[in-house]
Structure formats: C-alpha cells, structure tokens
C-alpha cells in the first residue's frame, strides 16, 4: 500500500498549476528516492516496470519550469495501470496469467464484437412528409353531369 500512497501524494501535488509551481527539486528527488527504495513482497516485476517507466520521465533538476504533463499521465489513475495491491492482483489475473487471461480476453473480444456488429436501429418518422401536408382536399359532388363526346 505504500506504493499507492507515494503515487497518490505526488498525484495530488501535480493536480493544479499552483501546487506545481511550489514543487522543488528536493520534492522530486524525495519522490523518486522513495519509489526506488521500496521493497516489494508481491508483484515485484510489475512494480519495477512501473518505477522504471517513472524514472525514465524524471524531469531535470536544472529546469526551472519543467513540463509535468508526461509525468501526470504516467501516474494518473488508470484501470490498466493500477497502483493498489488488490487492483494489481485482479489486473494480473485478467491479463497476465494464461489460465485466466485467455478466457477473459476472449470474453472481452466477444463483447466488443457485439457492440460493433449491433444492428443500427432505424429512426421512424412520425411526421408526415411535406408533400402530404400541402395537399388540399376538394369535395367532389356525387351526381355531376357527364361530359358529352
């Protein structure tokens, strides 16, 4: 859970431009030192991959106005990059282990195909066409004289 708390604290610091302006190089160094010094009991490979990606996006301490957008996107809450231990476990079950991932991915494909191949519902026009509205009904007398040829 410490991994999630470290990420979420830094996520809140990057949330608004006012707090971004107050971030010092020491804050950045503390964040990365905390991440790099974590020891994991479970899912070491997942955490190391996540941390390596964040280390790749580390801004230079010499920059006075670093661009935070890439780092914000990298630590954003995402269903495909979870940070909570239970969410990571579920993610690993869904996508990493062959015994459970193959049926789940097949199910997702089936659901997506249903969405793509769904028949388009035709919209019924309840209003009459314009030509029918313009016709005027003229009464015809029943007993009218026939024309002579």
């Amino acid at each position: 859970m410490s991994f999630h708390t470290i990420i979420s604290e830094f996520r809140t610091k990057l949330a608004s431009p006012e707090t971004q302006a107050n971030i010092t190089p020491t804050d950045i160094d503390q964040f990365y030192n905390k991440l790099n010094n974590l020891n994991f009991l479970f899912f070491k490979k997942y955490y190391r991959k996540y941390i390596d990606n964040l280390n790749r996006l580390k801004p230079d301490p010499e920059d006075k106005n670093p661009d935070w957008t890439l780092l914000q996107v990298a630590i954003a809450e995402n269903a495909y990059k979870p940070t909570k231990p239970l969410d990571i476990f579920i993610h690993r079950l869904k996508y990493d282990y062959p015994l459970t991932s193959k049926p789940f991915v097949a199910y997702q494909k089936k659901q997506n195909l249903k969405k793509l191949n769904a028949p388009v519902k035709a919209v019924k026009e309840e209003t009459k066409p314009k030509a029918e509205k313009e016709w005027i009904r003229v009464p015809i007398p029943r007993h009218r004289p026939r024309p002579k040829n």
Side-chain angles (χ1 to χ4, degrees):
M1 198 63 179
S2 60
F3 179 76
H4 175 69
T5 55
I6 292 169
I7 296 288
S8 62
E9 286 173 1
F10 202 70
R11 191 182 296 147
T12 55
K13 285 184 182 180
L14 291 177
S16 66
E18 295 85 24
T19 56
Q20 286 178 5
N22 296 333
I23 295 176
T24 62
T26 56
D27 292 337
I28 296 168
D29 289 337
Q30 285 178 346
F31 170 69
Y32 281 101
N33 286 337
K34 286 179 188 178
L35 280 179
N36 291 326
N37 293 331
L38 284 175
N39 293 324
F40 303 107
L41 188 59
F42 301 106
F43 313 122
K44 290 180 185 179
K45 185 178 177 183
Y46 176 82
Y47 286 121
R48 282 293 148 213
K49 189 175 177 183
Y50 200 102
I51 291 171
D52 288 342
N53 188 35
L54 291 179
N55 283 330
R56 188 175 58 86
L57 300 172
K58 184 177 181 178
D60 288 331
E62 298 169 358
D63 285 344
K64 294 186 179 185
N65 294 322
D67 189 18
W68 298 107
T69 53
L70 285 177
L71 192 58
Q72 281 179 328
V73 170
I75 64 173
E77 192 70 33
N78 190 345
Y80 297 106
K81 296 184 306 180
T83 56
K84 294 181 183 176
L86 181 62
D87 293 340
I88 292 171
F89 176 71
I90 292 170
H91 180 269
R92 302 266 305 176
L93 279 178
K94 286 181 179 178
Y95 298 106
D96 289 342
Y97 297 119
L99 186 63
T100 56
S101 68
K102 287 181 182 178
F104 180 73
V105 171
Y107 173 74
Q108 276 189 326
K109 285 181 181 179
K110 185 177 179 182
Q111 295 300 318
N112 287 336
L113 280 175
K114 281 183 182 178
K115 288 179 188 175
L116 290 174
N117 296 332
V120 178
K121 295 181 181 178
V123 179
K124 295 181 180 178
E125 290 187 24
E126 294 181 12
T127 60
K128 294 182 178 180
K130 190 174 181 179
E132 284 186 28
K133 289 180 182 178
E134 293 177 1
W135 285 91
I136 298 173
R137 189 170 193 163
V138 178
I140 300 175
R142 287 190 165 196
H143 303 289
R144 61 182 175 142
R146 293 187 177 199
K148 295 180 182 176
N149 286 350

